[in-house]
């Protein structure tokens, strides 16, 4: 059905374009009209589909709609850079930044990872958990067989996991557990220990005295693999993708870089089939074991030397294949996380309902005002400008929905900026057209020259803005990336809607005789201002203004004379506290207002969001649990005081201010604070210790 809809969406616009260009005798405009109609149909279809589905396919970011918060424990934090781990998780979970997943480290020791996922369904959260739970390690080993490795097999001790030679230094072979569900790839549980190309055994710890499997979710079989000098691992992969084998089963296709291809070529070349009459068919083949995250998945026969390409078979579903592809593309994680999240909760919109509503009203009113002014001032040309603007809105919305990108407030800010650029481009074109008509040129020539002469300036401004957008996307955090994505998409669509579609409307109107004269309003009469005569004065004033701005930036950055900081919590870090109130609160804005009233300077950049644990509804805690994030105040340096003591002092001050703002209203026995470190390009703020205020009934944990 979807294919038929897509074909109709393409065929109908171009069929209409063919008929119109023939009827209007405009054959050179076939492609222009065709693509313009297709863009309009595509945008309207996505809009109708979204409306018909109650906007469920429109994804909003954490700041607009809330989402799910997952906390994971880093299993071994001693030798791990937690920021590097957060960056690796970001590459795996949200490589292009369009999903708007926030990942940051928590705690003084940075021994936890927090992930904030925009509002999504449970199946997508489960898939995310699976991606997180995989290390992403991949290695290739030859499985032991009783023909070539009999000397190693004789050394096998049932109570040991590795087989050593006489020197007891380097293992000759070791047991690898079989991934749950893949036992049939190695002869099945009923053939454990057989000589059919594999040496297998049961895992004793997962079987009771009667031989019954204790936990079906854990491996029950192991395969013996032998050591080699090549150590072909996943770090040598250059690409991974999903595909199908000859039987139509899902597989992971991979390719190696030069070093990996050399290693794999030698490993498989040395274990290629050899003539041996003792085997069926007279050929002895070896098996190449594929080990993912410490478990062997399959061991296909080596038919010939493999160098730069191969397949991973034995995977049951297409979803598992795609999951593995994403994991392998992102690379191995530098550390493991707890198998399950230590905390899972939902959060409301970070901006608060009132703030979001005011922002929506502001955007809606500004767009209406822009369209009204353009219609009033440029008349027919204003109609074309409004159509271009509406097409920009429609196609930007369709793009975000089609690619499942999340709408965020910074992204909407980028969209508003794009609207301004569209209006600016239209003004450049129309003022050029005005100049051409005032010189006595015909309407057709004025339109052609107006678009042609303004094109260079429009492209120049769009390219420079696009370069900034690319840089922001490459090095920015999730919020900045949301801004950059919509900005880049808006620039591309605006060029299409203004220059391509807008020019087509003018040409059609001229051809059909609807546009015989171009009329525009004028605020000022013809001007003749000698701008260059004021060059020295303006340059002097400009340099003075720049110098003053530099001084103000330095003053605010260093907090000179009590000036508020130029940088907010995203750059400076701060405290993250989760509070449980005795009574339901009126909302985030009400809490924020009380904090401002208590200490406007202390809570000038506070973020308040409601959070909900799975048990909150049953316990009657809805609208009582909130997360409060605020910058950590600066203190005068105290001799002999370390960073931890300074942090503790800041936490105590925050605790006092919080209790003063809500006297007797906090129901927590313990408020846990987390230090938010300045945001890195990919891994955001980090958080820390616990301070106990007056005892009460319940405990709040972040």
């Amino acid at each position: 059905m979807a294919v038929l809809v897509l074909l109709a969406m393409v065929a109908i616009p171009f069929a209409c374009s063919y008929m119109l260009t023939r009827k209007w005798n405009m054959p050179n405009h076939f492609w222009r009209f065709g693509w313009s109609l297709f863009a309009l149909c595509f945008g309207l279809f996505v809009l109708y589909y979204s409306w018909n589905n109650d906007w469920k396919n429109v994804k909003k970011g954490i700041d607009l709609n809330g989402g799910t918060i997952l906390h994971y424990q880093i299993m071994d934090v001693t030798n791990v850079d937690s920021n590097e781990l957060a960056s690796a998780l970001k590459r795996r979970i949200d490589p292009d930044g369009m999903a708007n997943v926030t990942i940051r480290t928590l705690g003084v020791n940075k021994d936890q990872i927090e992930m904030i996922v925009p509002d999504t369904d449970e199946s997508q959260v489960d898939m995310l958990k699976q991606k997180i739970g995989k290390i992403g390690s991949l290695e290739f080993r030859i499985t032991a067989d009783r023909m070539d490795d009999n000397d190693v097999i004789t050394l096998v001790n049932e109570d040991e996991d590795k087989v050593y030679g006489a020197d007891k230094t380097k293992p000759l072979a070791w047991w690898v557990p079989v991934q749950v569900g893949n036992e049939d790839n190695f002869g099945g549980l009923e053939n454990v220990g057989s000589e059919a190309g594999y040496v297998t055994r049961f895992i004793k710890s997962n079987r009771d005295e009667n031989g019954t499997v204790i936990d079906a979710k854990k491996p029950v079989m192991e395969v013996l693999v032998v050591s080699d000098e090549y150590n072909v691992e996943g770090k040598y992969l250059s690409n991974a993708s999903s595909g199908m084998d000859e039987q139509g089963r899902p597989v992971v296709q991979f390719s190696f870089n030069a070093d990996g291809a050399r290693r794999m070529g030698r490993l498989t070349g040395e274990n290629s089939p050899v003539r041996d009459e003792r085997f069926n068919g007279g050929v002895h083949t070896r098996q190449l074991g594929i080990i993912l995250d410490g478990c062997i998945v399959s061991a296909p026969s080596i038919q010939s030397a493999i160098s730069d390409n191969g397949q991973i078979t034995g995977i049951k579903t297409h979803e598992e294949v795609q999951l593995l592809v994403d994991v392998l593309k992102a690379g191995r994680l530098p550390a493991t996380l707890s198998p399950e999240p230590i905390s899972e909760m939902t959060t409301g919109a970070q901006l608060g309902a009132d703030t979001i509503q005011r922002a929506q009203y502001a955007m809606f009113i500004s767009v209406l005002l822009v369209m009204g002014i353009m219609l009033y001032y440029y008349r027919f040309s204003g109609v074309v400008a409004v159509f271009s603007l509406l097409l920009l809105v429609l196609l930007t919305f369709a793009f975000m929905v089609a690619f499942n990108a999340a709408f965020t407030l910074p992204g909407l800010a980028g969209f508003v900026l794009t609207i301004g650029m569209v209006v600016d481009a239209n003004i450049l074109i129309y003022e050029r057209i005005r100049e051409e008509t005032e010189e006595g040129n015909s309407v057709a020539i004025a339109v052609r020259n107006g678009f042609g002469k303004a094109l260079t300036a429009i492209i120049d401004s769009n390219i420079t803005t696009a370069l900034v957008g690319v840089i922001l996307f490459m090095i920015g955090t999730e919020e900045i990336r949301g801004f950059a994505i919509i900005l880049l998409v808006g620039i591309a669509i605006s060029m299409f809607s203004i220059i391509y579609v807008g020019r087509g409307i003018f040409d059609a109107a001229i051809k059909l005789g609807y546009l015989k004269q171009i009329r525009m309003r004028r605020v000022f009469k013809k001007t003749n201002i000698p701008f260059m005569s004021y060059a020295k004065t303006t340059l002097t004033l400009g340099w003075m203004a720049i110098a003053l701005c530099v001084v103000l930036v330095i003053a605010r950055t260093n907090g000179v004379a009590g000036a508020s900081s130029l940088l907010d919590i995203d750059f400076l870090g701060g405290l993250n506290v989760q509070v449980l109130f005795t009574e339901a609160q009126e909302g985030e804005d009400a809490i924020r207002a009380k904090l401002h009233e208590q200490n406007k300077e202390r809570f000038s950049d506070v973020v308040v969001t409601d959070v909900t644990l799975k048990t909150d509804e049953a316990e009657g805690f809805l609208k009582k649990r909130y997360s409060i994030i605020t910058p950590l105040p600066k203190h005068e340096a105290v001799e002999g005081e370390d960073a931890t003591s300074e942090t503790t002092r800041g936490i105590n001050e925050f605790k006092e201010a919080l209790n003063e703002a809500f006297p007797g209203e906090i129901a927590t026995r313990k408020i846990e604070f987390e230090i938010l470190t300045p945001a890195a390009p990919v891994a955001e703020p980090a958080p820390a210790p616990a301070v106990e205020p007056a005892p009460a009934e319940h405990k709040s944990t972040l």
Side-chain angles (χ1 to χ4, degrees):
M1 183 64 183
V3 176
L4 293 177
V5 171
L6 182 61
L7 289 175
M9 198 181 303
V10 174
I12 294 175
F14 281 95
C16 293
S17 175
Y18 177 76
M19 291 186 293
L20 290 175
T21 51
R22 290 196 62 183
K23 181 178 180 180
W24 297 342
N25 193 24
M26 301 175 69
N28 294 335
H29 285 65
F30 169 74
W31 291 107
R32 185 187 296 270
F33 290 167
W35 286 116
S36 300
L37 291 172
F38 168 75
L40 181 61
C41 290
F42 173 71
L44 291 174
F45 173 78
V46 173
L47 181 64
Y48 171 76
Y49 180 80
S50 301
W51 174 77
N52 201 40
N53 286 274
D54 296 327
W55 312 104
K56 293 179 180 178
N57 61 333
V58 180
K59 190 174 182 180
K60 297 179 181 179
I62 293 291
D63 52 356
L64 297 180
N65 205 42
T68 301
I69 301 177
L70 303 173
H71 288 168
Y72 282 87
Q73 183 71 39
I74 302 175
M75 302 307 292
D76 182 13
V77 75
T78 54
N79 298 317
V80 175
D81 184 343
S82 54
N83 286 325
E84 181 184 347
L85 174 59
S87 299
L89 286 168
K90 179 66 178 177
R91 290 193 299 271
R92 176 179 293 188
I93 297 170
D94 188 16
D96 54 11
M98 297 183 72
N100 195 43
V101 177
T102 299
I103 302 176
R104 59 191 180 193
T105 57
L106 298 180
V108 172
N109 298 322
K110 298 184 179 181
D111 58 350
Q112 293 182 15
I113 291 289
E114 180 184 59
M115 302 180 193
I116 308 177
V117 187
D119 192 27
T120 185
D121 59 46
E122 190 173 348
S123 63
Q124 291 175 308
V125 174
D126 290 339
M127 181 63 71
L128 178 68
K129 292 179 182 178
Q130 292 183 48
K131 286 186 180 182
I132 295 169
K134 291 184 177 295
I135 289 284
S137 66
L138 171 67
E139 58 180 314
F140 300 86
R141 298 289 178 182
I142 303 299
T143 61
D145 66 35
R146 296 192 179 277
M147 182 57 62
D148 294 333
D149 306 299
N150 195 50
D151 54 341
V152 173
I153 296 173
T154 57
L155 298 175
V156 170
N157 188 324
E158 285 295 322
D159 296 327
E160 295 182 359
D161 294 329
K162 296 182 179 180
V163 179
Y164 291 93
D167 57 359
K168 299 293 183 179
T169 56
K170 182 180 179 181
L172 303 175
W174 57 90
W175 294 100
V176 178
V178 176
Q179 189 178 69
V180 176
N182 289 51
E183 292 83 3
D184 290 342
N185 294 336
F186 303 92
L189 294 176
E190 66 278 2
N191 293 319
V192 169
S194 71
E195 300 182 10
Y198 313 102
V199 178
T200 57
R201 73 175 184 180
F202 286 117
I203 298 177
K204 290 185 178 181
S205 61
N206 197 21
R207 300 177 69 83
D208 60 18
E209 296 178 354
N210 300 321
T212 305
V213 176
I214 298 173
D215 189 347
K217 294 182 179 180
K218 294 182 178 179
V220 296
M221 177 195 285
E222 290 180 320
V223 175
L224 189 66
V225 300
V226 297
S227 175
D228 62 78
E229 61 181 303
Y230 303 112
N231 297 320
V232 184
E233 299 177 349
K235 64 183 179 180
Y236 300 112
L237 292 182
S238 61
N239 189 33
S241 61
S242 59
M244 307 283 286
D245 63 8
E246 294 79 3
Q247 286 76 38
R249 295 171 298 192
V251 297
V252 175
Q253 299 174 334
F254 61 85
S255 57
F256 288 104
N257 58 25
D259 191 12
R262 178 182 59 81
R263 291 170 179 265
M264 178 61 90
R266 291 184 179 180
L267 176 64
T268 54
E270 293 178 3
N271 292 277
S272 293
V274 295
R275 302 289 302 176
D276 194 325
E277 298 301 329
R278 292 173 293 179
F279 291 87
N280 291 333
V283 178
H284 175 213
T285 58
R286 300 296 301 269
Q287 270 64 43
L288 180 65
I290 302 173
I291 304 172
L292 293 169
D293 288 347
C295 291
I296 189 166
V297 178
S298 62
S301 299
I302 301 174
Q303 302 299 329
S304 61
I306 303 171
S307 57
D308 55 348
N309 293 290
Q311 291 182 345
I312 300 176
T313 59
I315 306 173
K316 306 300 183 184
T317 65
H318 292 280
E319 289 76 13
E320 292 179 39
V321 166
Q322 189 57 50
L323 174 63
L324 182 55
V325 167
D326 293 340
V327 170
L328 293 178
K329 279 185 175 181
R332 179 173 181 164
L333 296 179
T336 58
L337 299 176
S338 53
E340 296 293 332
I342 59 177
S343 173
E344 181 175 351
M345 64 189 78
T346 58
T347 176
Q350 293 182 346
L351 295 175
D354 295 341
T355 304
I356 295 173
Q357 189 177 49
R358 287 195 295 267
Q360 291 174 340
Y361 286 155
M363 290 181 59
F364 183 71
I365 293 172
S366 62
V367 172
L368 285 181
L369 286 175
V370 167
M371 291 192 298
I373 292 172
M374 293 297 288
L375 287 171
Y376 172 78
Y377 193 75
Y378 287 109
R379 298 185 178 182
F380 176 81
S381 300
V383 174
V384 179
V386 168
F387 182 82
S388 300
L389 182 58
L390 292 175
L391 186 61
L392 168 70
V393 174
L394 189 64
L395 292 181
T396 303
F397 172 81
F399 172 87
M400 297 294 287
V401 172
F403 287 89
N404 199 31
F407 287 90
T408 63
L409 194 65
L412 295 179
F415 175 66
V416 172
L417 177 60
T418 305
I419 290 177
M421 295 179 64
V422 169
V423 174
D424 177 64
N426 276 308
I427 291 173
L428 286 174
I429 294 171
Y430 299 158
E431 292 301 323
R432 282 289 190 178
I433 293 176
R434 187 203 297 272
E435 292 177 0
E436 293 294 324
T437 55
E438 289 178 350
E439 291 178 2
N441 293 321
S442 65
V443 173
I445 294 176
V447 170
R448 183 190 64 192
N449 292 345
F451 274 90
K453 292 181 179 180
L455 183 62
T456 304
I458 294 172
I459 292 178
D460 179 67
S461 62
N462 282 331
I463 288 177
T464 53
T465 306
L467 288 175
V468 174
V470 170
I471 295 172
L472 290 176
F473 179 81
M474 292 175 63
I475 67 175
T477 58
E478 288 76 16
E479 293 79 6
I480 296 176
R481 282 189 168 192
F483 173 86
I485 288 172
I486 291 191
L487 181 63
L488 292 171
V489 171
I491 288 173
I493 295 176
S494 66
M495 295 287 287
F496 171 79
S497 63
I498 297 168
I499 298 173
Y500 201 70
V501 179
R503 174 66 184 275
I505 295 174
F506 271 104
D507 290 346
I510 294 171
K511 183 70 176 180
L512 297 175
Y514 295 140
L515 188 60
K516 297 180 179 179
Q517 186 178 5
I518 296 179
R519 296 180 179 178
M520 303 177 187
R521 299 185 186 277
R522 182 189 293 276
V523 176
F524 302 103
K525 296 181 178 179
K526 270 196 169 184
T527 59
N528 186 21
I529 302 174
F531 288 102
M532 294 307 297
S533 63
Y534 304 109
K536 292 183 179 180
T537 303
T538 54
L539 283 174
T540 302
L541 293 174
W543 281 111
M544 291 174 62
I546 292 173
L548 179 61
C549 289
V550 170
V551 171
L552 291 175
V553 167
I554 295 173
R556 288 193 60 185
T557 303
N558 296 318
V560 177
S564 60
S565 176
L566 177 68
L567 305 177
D568 65 5
I569 191 171
D570 292 332
F571 294 93
L572 299 178
L575 298 174
N576 187 346
V577 56
Q578 187 183 126
V579 179
L580 183 64
F581 293 95
T582 55
E583 300 293 337
Q585 300 296 303
E586 297 179 4
E588 296 90 339
D589 287 346
I591 297 175
R592 195 181 297 112
K594 281 189 178 182
L595 293 173
H596 285 173
E597 183 180 349
Q598 172 63 32
N599 191 328
K600 185 172 293 186
E601 182 178 352
R602 179 71 176 79
F603 298 109
S604 60
D605 185 33
V606 65
V607 177
V608 181
T609 58
D610 69 288
V611 293
T612 306
L613 298 177
K614 290 185 176 180
T615 58
D616 279 357
E617 185 173 2
E619 296 175 354
F621 290 163
L622 293 180
K623 293 299 180 183
K624 294 183 181 181
R625 195 188 303 273
Y626 289 84
S627 172
I628 301 175
I629 302 176
T630 184
L632 188 66
K634 285 188 175 182
H635 299 95
E636 293 294 332
V638 177
E639 186 176 354
E641 183 181 44
D642 56 16
T644 303
S645 301
E646 182 182 350
T647 299
T648 302
R649 187 147 53 99
I651 290 174
N652 289 331
E653 290 181 7
F654 180 85
K655 179 186 68 174
E656 293 173 4
L658 191 62
N659 286 325
E660 289 175 2
F662 301 95
E665 298 182 45
I666 299 176
T668 54
R669 175 181 304 146
K670 179 179 177 182
I671 301 177
E672 292 197 357
F673 292 85
E674 296 172 346
I675 306 306
L676 298 178
T677 60
V682 185
E684 287 190 355
V691 177
E692 295 190 4
E697 297 180 359
H698 303 288
K699 177 181 177 181
S700 175
T701 305
L702 182 61

